[in-house]
Amino acid sequence: KLISKKVKPTAMRLLVMEYFVSINTAISLRQIESHFDNSDMSTLYRTLKKFVEHNILHTIDDGTGTIKYAKCIEGCICAKEDLHYHFHCLNCKKTICLTEQSIPSVKLPNNYTMSEANMVVKGMCADCQK
């Protein structure tokens, strides 16, 4: 995946990629830092930035005041074509991508340019409802 996105597969990048492949929710920087607590934080930050720039990860503002990171789906061109909903559980605080549904396009006035769109649905996830 890294090579196909033209990202050199360094040790840290491979570890971060492996971590994101193993999870199915969006996670905060604090959660990522705690998972990599023995790593150089500046290398970790540069890795996250590189992954966002190359559409390996995308960021989510789920309304909690903390930016979350999630892996991009195959063929993702974040904030341009892959505009999808996110679900935030008010109980467990997990945020997941709802990639099956796209955010409808918004007709903007002349000379307006969209740089990003965000749609967060909030409620209770299946695990918390049990």
Side-chain angles (χ1 to χ4, degrees):
K1 175 123 184 166
L2 296 179
I3 293 170
S4 72
K5 296 284 190 171
K6 298 183 177 27
V7 174
K8 184 179 177 184
T10 65
M12 177 56 92
R13 291 173 183 170
L14 290 169
L15 288 170
V16 171
M17 188 73 218
E18 183 179 284
Y19 179 58
F20 274 92
V21 166
S22 73
I23 60 174
N24 291 319
T25 62
I27 56 174
S28 68
L29 179 58
R30 178 175 282 169
Q31 290 170 298
I32 298 167
E33 288 172 338
S34 69
H35 182 79
F36 292 99
D37 63 347
N38 293 326
S39 300
D40 176 54
M41 289 299 119
S42 62
T43 302
L44 178 60
Y45 303 144
R46 285 193 308 272
T47 297
L48 294 171
K49 182 178 178 188
K50 175 76 77 180
F51 281 14
V52 170
E53 289 170 357
H54 288 267
N55 298 320
I56 296 168
L57 299 178
H58 64 277
T59 57
I60 303 164
D61 178 356
D62 61 8
T64 62
T66 302
I67 297 296
K68 305 268 175 65
Y69 292 85
K71 61 186 173 244
C72 293
I73 60 171
E74 195 62 39
C76 172
I77 304 173
C78 295
K80 291 180 179 50
E81 294 177 13
D82 180 34
L83 301 175
H84 57 264
Y85 293 92
H86 296 93
F87 182 86
H88 177 74
C89 180
L90 296 169
N91 187 55
C92 68
K93 311 299 183 210
K94 288 182 182 174
T95 300
I96 63 164
C97 295
L98 302 174
T99 56
E100 305 81 35
Q101 302 173 49
S102 295
I103 295 174
S105 62
V106 177
K107 184 169 171 42
L108 297 172
N110 288 339
N111 299 320
Y112 282 63
T113 305
M114 180 183 74
S115 61
E116 62 183 78
N118 188 27
M119 178 66 162
V120 179
V121 177
K122 296 182 180 186
M124 193 86 72
C125 72
D127 290 337
C128 291
Q129 289 189 47
K130 289 180 185 177

